[in-house]
Amino acid sequence: MLTAANVSEEMAVNYFIKNYYHQGKSLWSGQGAEKLGLSGAVDDEDAFKNIIEGRSPDGKEQLNARAVKPKTKRAALDCTFSAPKSVSLMALVGGDTRLIDAHHRALKEVIKLMEERYAYTRVTEGDSRHRVNTGNLVVAQFDHIESRDLDPHLHTHCLLMNMTQTPDGRWLSLGNNEIFANKKFLGMAYQSYLAREVLKLGYEVEPRKHGQFDIKGFLEKDLETFSKRRQQIIASSGPNSTWAEREKIWDDTRQRKQKLPESELVAFWKSEAAALGIRFVKPSLTRQDIPAHDLSLAEVLDLAIAHCSERNVAFRQEDLEKFILEERLATDIAAIAALIREHQELIPLPGLTHQFTTMTAVWRELATMELMQQGQCKFCSISHSEVVENHLENTLLNSGQRQAVELAATTSDQFIAWQGVAGAGKTFALKELKAIAFSAGYIIKGFAPSSSAAKVLSEELEIQSETVARLLVTEPQEIEPNQIWIVDEASLLSAKDAYALLQRATLLQARVILVGDTRQLSAVSAGNPFKSLQQAGIKTAHLNESLRQKDPQLKLAVDLIAEGRIEAGFEHLLANGSILQVESESKIEQIANDYIVGTPEQRLKTLVLAGTNTERLALTQAIRSKLKGEGTLGETATITQLQTKNLTKVQMRFAHNFEIGDVIMPL
């Protein structure tokens, strides 16, 4: 596992120099350290302090940008790599110190990986700044063996100093945002390197989630006993919490480190292990092998591409590698990287480092645009302009709605779009279009990406409606003349479904009106064809005025947010009392109190939203407790709720992604 946090000069001096870290096991590493003549233990306090403050080891040369506020300047990035609990137990309590060496070898590999991919700086030349890859880091490593709850916990703080040398010899500040962005991948890479080293020592490994592992042979309860900190975080966040939620709780609940001599800690751990009857694993005398599968590395990469491209048109190299490591399909990251560079399906995105799209995605997008363009000027208009204008004179439509109806009723294009903000009255305008189309002898059918949206469309327009998926899986019927397909929530269409939809409409000679908002949610699967079709020139009506808010002040705030001025919109809501800002520590209780003081009618109209799954559960429990206290909760009932595992089609192929008790529902 890897955690990362910026370290200021003041923090580094007060913690890493004054604390016992620099007195213990430490090491200078990285090619940048070699260039500065730093090697071996970090035992020269003056040199370490100079490096932390951005100077050369002797203090004579400034190696990064001077700070306006030295106390808060980023001096280093603290990347902390933690060994699995079973490795910590065997190394620190079981006495197999070879595992500590294995941990260090894994660290050496992952630091090399960081240097190759993420070591860079920004160079100013004239009026522009551009990225320069440097390939070197200055790293001070500090080993530690216990957690904040004094459990055995082998981990190393790798301080990546805020300096790196450019190819022309200049020392400049290190850019660290890519290391932050890829810390999960780097943590998985460390685990992969370490697992390979552990296997060499004769141990068997047991895969865990997120690319992690443990030494095979330990009981789960024994590992949990020596993982008090982890159990504390899970208890606070819940078993179904996300990685980000647990990391936040880990950071919020950090306690001051306790200091005990290593000899006392080891003696305490051994006595605790003996009392629990823990049996330590005996490694084989021969090297163990990584569990084999019958896939070549090229086939593994094909699976990774299929997995990543199912939900994203563009993805990073690290996304491919994370999938491969997480599914335990390969461990050699260097070999994977070489294949990625040569794969014919992958297209590097210009100006974006390590980012790709696929030939399939590009071809499908171009083919969708071509179908749209082939449908231009293909049909006669539904009605004449004079007829449409006469009809609209007797309606309450605003200018945007009128233009949308006029476009749909008078265009000769097969495919058009209605781009409208939430609450713009798109459905109200569709009712007028329906009246015009019916009088001209047309049949209107409704489609939507979800069954709930299709049902709403059917009820509000009183037309036959179904999901896009149902349309695409049924056999094409005979051509029915004068068909108009209204596709609601078109922004939720995936690239694959949009292409198939336009193909089906072309085959059946149906007109299509795509209705949606590019600024709302896009499809779960890959692509945003509603947006790309607009960029490609599909005739589009714009409904930009929200009619949902009747209060002028509230409407102004909503309009600001719709324009992308999020901060200004929320400031306006706060100023006129539409929203209330409270301290995060008390918000759960305050929301529950606000809900409980409402009348039964008010409660029915109240919607409680939460930013995270953990907050949602906490809010639900707080409200339930108050309802129970007033006696209005009703009888208790136990229900079984199925929750999707959110697997891609590729992930569904592997049995290890399912657990005992999972329910599989064939479609």
Side-chain angles (χ1 to χ4, degrees):
M1 188 178 78
L2 164 64
T3 60
N6 282 325
V7 176
S8 67
E9 291 180 9
E10 184 177 40
M11 185 188 305
V13 170
N14 291 338
Y15 186 75
F16 284 96
I17 290 183
K18 295 182 180 179
N19 203 300
Y20 54 83
Y21 268 82
H22 72 289
Q23 300 169 356
K25 298 176 181 177
S26 60
L27 179 70
W28 287 110
S29 61
Q31 294 188 38
E34 291 182 16
K35 294 174 183 292
L36 294 173
L38 298 168
S39 62
V42 185
D43 52 9
D44 186 334
E45 286 193 13
D46 290 335
F48 179 65
K49 185 175 181 180
N50 285 330
I51 290 292
I52 280 289
E53 293 176 350
R55 299 193 298 270
S56 58
D58 59 11
K60 295 180 179 179
E61 183 182 355
Q62 186 71 30
L63 302 183
N64 61 23
R66 293 184 180 275
V68 177
K69 298 179 180 179
K71 291 184 178 181
T72 59
K73 173 191 174 183
R74 172 171 62 90
L77 177 64
D78 179 8
C79 293
T80 305
F81 292 91
S82 301
K85 184 58 63 177
S86 55
V87 173
S88 294
L89 276 175
M90 279 304 308
L92 304 174
V93 188
D96 191 348
T97 56
R98 298 178 304 162
L99 289 166
I100 299 177
D101 295 332
H103 167 70
H104 287 146
R105 288 194 293 273
L107 287 178
K108 185 176 181 180
E109 289 294 322
V110 79
I111 289 172
K112 179 182 176 184
L113 179 64
M114 283 193 283
E115 288 187 311
E116 290 174 349
R117 291 200 188 174
Y118 310 127
Y120 77 95
T121 187
R122 295 282 180 187
V123 174
T124 301
E125 291 183 357
D127 296 331
S128 64
R129 281 174 61 81
H130 63 276
R131 171 195 172 112
V132 173
N133 295 327
T134 60
N136 61 83
L137 296 169
V138 179
V139 185
Q141 297 179 203
F142 298 97
D143 289 350
H144 200 199
I145 62 169
E146 77 266 31
S147 69
R148 292 178 183 269
D149 290 311
L150 299 182
D151 283 326
H153 178 47
L154 174 62
H155 62 283
T156 299
H157 291 262
C158 295
L159 288 188
L160 277 57
M161 303 300 176
N162 185 20
M163 58 182 65
T164 188
Q165 190 179 43
T166 61
D168 62 4
R170 288 181 291 171
W171 284 91
L172 298 170
S173 300
L174 174 72
N176 70 340
N177 61 313
E178 289 191 10
I179 295 174
F180 256 118
N182 293 292
K183 63 181 180 180
K184 184 176 180 182
F185 162 67
L186 290 168
M188 293 172 70
Y190 158 75
Q191 292 273 335
S192 177
Y193 293 138
L194 181 58
R196 195 166 56 191
E197 295 296 327
V198 168
L199 287 165
K200 290 179 184 178
L201 299 178
Y203 292 98
E204 292 183 66
V205 299
E206 192 168 11
R208 301 290 190 188
K209 290 182 178 180
H210 310 299
Q212 301 183 56
F213 76 96
D214 267 307
I215 292 175
K216 193 172 184 179
F218 282 100
L219 298 177
E220 193 68 33
K221 65 179 181 66
D222 294 336
L223 297 179
E224 290 180 357
T225 298
F226 285 98
S227 304
K228 300 180 186 67
R229 178 71 171 139
R230 180 175 181 273
Q231 298 309 313
Q232 175 194 8
I233 292 170
I234 291 177
S236 299
S237 62
N240 297 320
S241 57
T242 65
W243 183 286
E245 289 171 341
R246 291 187 184 183
E247 190 170 39
K248 184 178 185 305
I249 290 175
W250 172 86
D251 192 54
D252 291 343
T253 59
R254 296 177 74 189
Q255 301 174 0
R256 187 177 181 84
K257 282 183 177 291
Q258 305 174 63
K259 300 179 184 179
L260 287 178
E262 183 175 335
S263 57
E264 290 185 24
L265 283 171
V266 173
F268 171 70
W269 294 333
K270 287 186 175 181
S271 64
E272 190 176 10
L276 293 169
I278 292 178
R279 299 178 62 181
F280 289 93
V281 179
K282 291 186 178 180
S284 169
L285 296 177
T286 58
R287 169 178 173 161
Q288 299 296 305
D289 293 322
I290 297 170
H293 53 72
D294 56 359
L295 297 172
S296 68
L297 202 55
E299 291 172 321
V300 166
L301 181 54
D302 286 340
L303 289 176
I305 293 171
H307 163 76
C308 291
S309 61
E310 180 175 325
R311 294 178 180 169
N312 295 285
V313 171
F315 44 83
R316 299 174 302 151
Q317 176 174 334
E318 289 80 7
D319 295 325
L320 297 167
E321 292 164 327
K322 280 193 292 188
F323 168 79
I324 292 170
L325 294 175
E326 198 159 13
E327 299 297 329
R328 285 98 65 183
L329 298 176
T331 59
D332 191 344
I333 293 173
I336 297 168
L339 279 181
I340 289 173
R341 289 191 294 269
E342 299 169 359
H343 203 287
Q344 294 183 346
E345 172 69 2
L346 295 173
I347 304 174
L349 294 177
L352 298 172
T353 307
H354 305 304
Q355 295 203 36
F356 300 89
T357 188
T358 63
M359 288 291 295
T360 300
V362 172
W363 174 86
R364 184 166 50 215
E365 184 167 340
L366 292 174
T368 304
M369 293 176 183
E370 185 177 358
L371 283 172
M372 178 271 293
Q373 291 165 351
Q374 288 174 353
Q376 291 176 331
C377 303
K378 187 174 182 178
F379 295 140
C380 295
S381 62
I382 295 172
S383 184
H384 296 292
S385 299
E386 296 81 4
V387 176
V388 175
E389 289 177 7
N390 289 335
H391 176 87
L392 295 179
E393 282 181 2
N394 300 317
T395 68
L396 298 176
L397 300 185
N398 62 27
S399 61
Q401 292 170 316
R402 289 173 64 96
Q403 290 171 10
V405 174
E406 288 171 355
L407 171 64
T410 61
T411 185
S412 59
D413 287 0
Q414 182 177 9
F415 305 104
I416 65 167
W418 282 15
Q419 161 64 35
V421 298
K426 295 186 287 289
T427 303
F428 189 57
L430 284 170
K431 289 180 180 179
E432 300 302 334
L433 174 63
K434 173 189 167 185
I436 295 171
F438 272 19
S439 64
Y442 282 81
I443 300 170
I444 296 182
K445 295 181 179 180
F447 300 96
S450 66
S451 57
S452 58
K455 182 180 179 181
V456 170
L457 188 63
S458 176
E459 292 173 350
E460 292 186 345
L461 286 185
E462 297 180 345
I463 59 174
Q464 175 191 339
S465 298
E466 60 185 31
T467 63
V468 173
R470 183 177 180 85
L471 168 69
L472 298 179
V473 298
T474 55
E475 289 294 325
Q477 303 298 316
E478 292 184 3
I479 296 175
E480 296 180 53
N482 298 340
Q483 282 193 73
I484 301 173
W485 292 357
I486 296 173
V487 183
D488 200 13
E489 296 191 355
S491 65
L492 293 177
L493 283 177
S494 68
K496 181 179 178 182
D497 285 351
Y499 177 54
L501 175 70
L502 266 63
Q503 280 184 308
R504 181 65 63 92
T506 301
L507 177 66
L508 299 181
Q509 298 180 21
R511 299 169 181 267
V512 178
I513 304 174
L514 300 170
V515 181
D517 183 2
T518 57
R519 289 170 291 188
Q520 292 188 14
L521 293 175
S522 58
V524 174
S525 298
N528 191 347
F530 187 57
K531 183 177 181 179
S532 61
L533 282 170
Q534 290 185 42
Q535 293 172 337
I538 188 172
K539 285 184 181 176
T540 305
H542 295 273
L543 297 91
N544 297 324
E545 183 182 355
S546 177
L547 306 174
R548 190 168 294 165
Q549 289 74 31
K550 305 303 180 184
D551 182 282
Q553 296 299 322
L554 184 58
K555 187 177 187 305
L556 175 58
V558 170
D559 289 342
L560 287 170
I561 293 171
E563 293 170 7
R565 299 165 62 186
I566 310 297
E567 188 175 347
F570 273 91
E571 287 177 353
H572 188 75
L573 288 171
L574 193 61
N576 65 33
S578 297
I579 60 174
L580 178 67
Q581 185 173 0
V582 298
E583 295 295 329
S584 59
E585 293 77 11
S586 61
K587 66 180 179 183
I588 300 294
E589 183 66 18
Q590 186 161 343
I591 292 172
N593 287 335
D594 288 347
Y595 178 86
I596 211 70
V597 297
T599 64
E601 292 75 18
Q602 289 173 328
R603 292 177 186 179
L604 284 174
K605 296 179 180 179
T606 299
L607 180 63
V608 181
L609 302 176
T612 66
N613 193 45
T614 301
E615 285 186 348
R616 178 182 65 83
L617 295 172
L619 277 167
T620 301
Q621 187 58 42
I623 293 173
R624 282 177 57 84
S625 297
K626 293 184 181 297
L627 291 172
K628 188 175 182 180
E630 69 176 18
T632 58
L633 187 60
E635 295 183 7
T636 301
T638 302
I639 63 171
T640 300
Q641 183 181 28
L642 299 181
Q643 186 175 5
T644 178
K645 295 182 76 74
N646 201 30
L647 301 175
T648 63
K649 292 178 181 178
V650 176
Q651 288 173 314
M652 291 179 189
R653 295 177 53 175
F654 300 104
H656 60 247
N657 287 322
F658 298 91
E659 302 172 1
I660 294 174
D662 284 349
V663 177
I664 299 175
M665 301 178 66
L667 298 176

